[in-house]
Amino acid sequence: MNHVPDRNQARSDSRVPFPEQRRGLILERLRTEGRADAAAISEELGVTGETLRKDLMALEQLGLLRRVHGGAVPVGRLTYEPAVSTRTGFRDEKTRIAKAALRHLPSGGSLLLDAGSTTARLAAMFPYDKELTVYTNTLSIATSLLDRPLLTVHTLGGRVRPLTEAEVDDWASRSLAEINVDVAFLGANAISVDRGLTTPDPAEAAVKRLMLQSARRRVLLADHSKFGCVSNCKHADLADIDLIITDSDLDDRELKAIQAAGVEVELA
């Protein structure tokens, strides 16, 4: 008797979304529908029921949902913040955004690099022939720039958050109060026309606010998945940003709403 493979198991691995994408969708369903139907999400994403069960268990362990028969229901906090090291989704989009951001590096002077996977991609692409002073609140970004002989690299200091590798709290705040840079390349977990730029952690939000004040020009780097979302802690209005660089998959309605708010958008 021939063995008939399970339809879910036969699916190509290349179609399976990354864990943070799956878990982000689960939390989005909880926000919008008040319940996550495991069977429906499994079918939509093309993953096995066992894979989705593991996602639900991981989110439950973080206190982000409560598993029930057939899926999950919300608990109080619905902000999922994956570690930067695991943010491997939208790789091509982030590369295009970082490449576009290179055109906005100052010819000389100074700049600030915020924590994040897209700003880290920008740092990895930095040219070797520019003489710049670079400030960052991320040790891994600073380290990645040390082989550029014409750069002077500074970190802000402070407590390091393991999830994002960002330096936060008083030391970082004092450093930002004492510097002025030509351009800041910033990140955000969520971007909304109504609620502005938000992030899950209040300490990171405080540092991001000070970054805005330290820079003459503010450039936000964010892939399309960040738009139309709201997280816990607001750190900027859209009007605080001079330029948004995102990828060409940004929803047209979001693009028009952002442009209507007076913010320049560059699609990569």
Side-chain angles (χ1 to χ4, degrees):
M1 180 175 179
N2 292 329
H3 173 67
V4 179
D6 179 86
R7 182 171 54 130
N8 286 331
Q9 293 176 351
R11 289 187 176 103
S12 170
D13 289 342
S14 64
R15 294 178 53 196
V16 177
F18 291 99
E20 70 263 32
Q21 294 172 279
R22 298 195 306 265
R23 295 169 190 179
L25 177 62
I26 290 169
L27 294 178
E28 180 61 23
R29 290 294 159 81
L30 291 175
R31 290 188 195 93
T32 59
E33 300 178 10
R35 180 184 175 87
D37 185 297
I41 295 175
S42 175
E43 179 66 23
E44 178 179 344
L45 296 180
V47 299
T48 64
E50 177 64 15
T51 294
L52 199 73
R53 186 180 70 83
K54 291 178 180 178
D55 287 333
L56 293 174
M57 289 177 63
L59 292 172
E60 186 176 53
Q61 289 171 359
L62 292 171
L64 301 177
L65 54 77
R66 180 167 59 87
R67 285 190 299 151
V68 296
H69 180 71
V73 295
V75 292
R77 186 168 58 94
L78 284 179
T79 300
Y80 174 54
E81 185 183 19
V84 166
S85 60
T86 68
R87 296 179 194 176
T88 54
F90 306 107
R91 183 184 301 274
D92 291 342
E93 291 88 343
K94 291 175 182 179
T95 297
R96 297 201 306 268
I97 292 167
K99 189 173 183 178
L102 289 173
R103 297 193 292 269
H104 298 275
L105 292 177
S107 56
S110 58
L111 60 92
L112 180 62
L113 283 176
D114 191 6
S117 55
T118 309
T119 49
R121 192 69 53 87
L122 170 59
M125 295 182 177
F126 249 57
Y128 286 81
D129 60 350
K130 278 190 175 291
E131 187 172 354
L132 293 166
T133 298
V134 180
Y135 298 92
T136 182
N137 65 331
T138 314
L139 293 174
S140 57
I141 289 179
T143 301
S144 73
L145 294 172
L146 293 182
D147 63 343
R148 273 66 167 180
L150 299 181
L151 297 183
T152 301
V153 181
H154 299 264
T155 63
L156 301 181
R159 176 175 64 89
V160 179
R161 291 192 69 226
L163 272 178
T164 59
E165 303 176 2
E167 297 167 336
V168 296
D169 295 343
D170 289 346
W171 288 355
S173 298
R174 287 201 300 269
S175 296
L176 285 166
E178 296 175 0
I179 65 172
N180 299 290
V181 299
D182 295 295
V183 183
F185 293 96
L186 306 163
N189 290 74
I191 304 159
S192 162
V193 173
D194 296 325
R195 296 298 300 154
L197 279 59
T198 52
T199 197
D201 184 73
E204 283 209 40
V207 168
K208 288 176 183 291
R209 288 189 205 103
L210 292 173
M211 286 181 171
L212 291 167
Q213 298 173 23
S214 299
R216 180 175 56 83
R217 179 170 170 79
R218 288 76 58 95
V219 180
L220 177 67
L221 309 181
D223 68 74
H224 70 276
S225 69
K226 306 290 182 65
F227 291 84
C229 302
V230 177
S231 189
N232 289 359
C233 304
K234 181 177 178 179
H235 54 89
D237 290 309
L238 281 179
D240 295 322
I241 301 299
D242 298 299
L243 171 66
I244 295 175
I245 303 178
T246 185
D247 61 89
S248 55
D249 289 328
L250 178 65
D251 182 83
D252 191 54
R253 290 170 297 180
E254 290 286 344
L255 173 60
K256 289 179 179 178
I258 294 167
Q259 291 174 329
V263 182
E264 182 183 356
V265 180
E266 181 177 332
L267 299 179

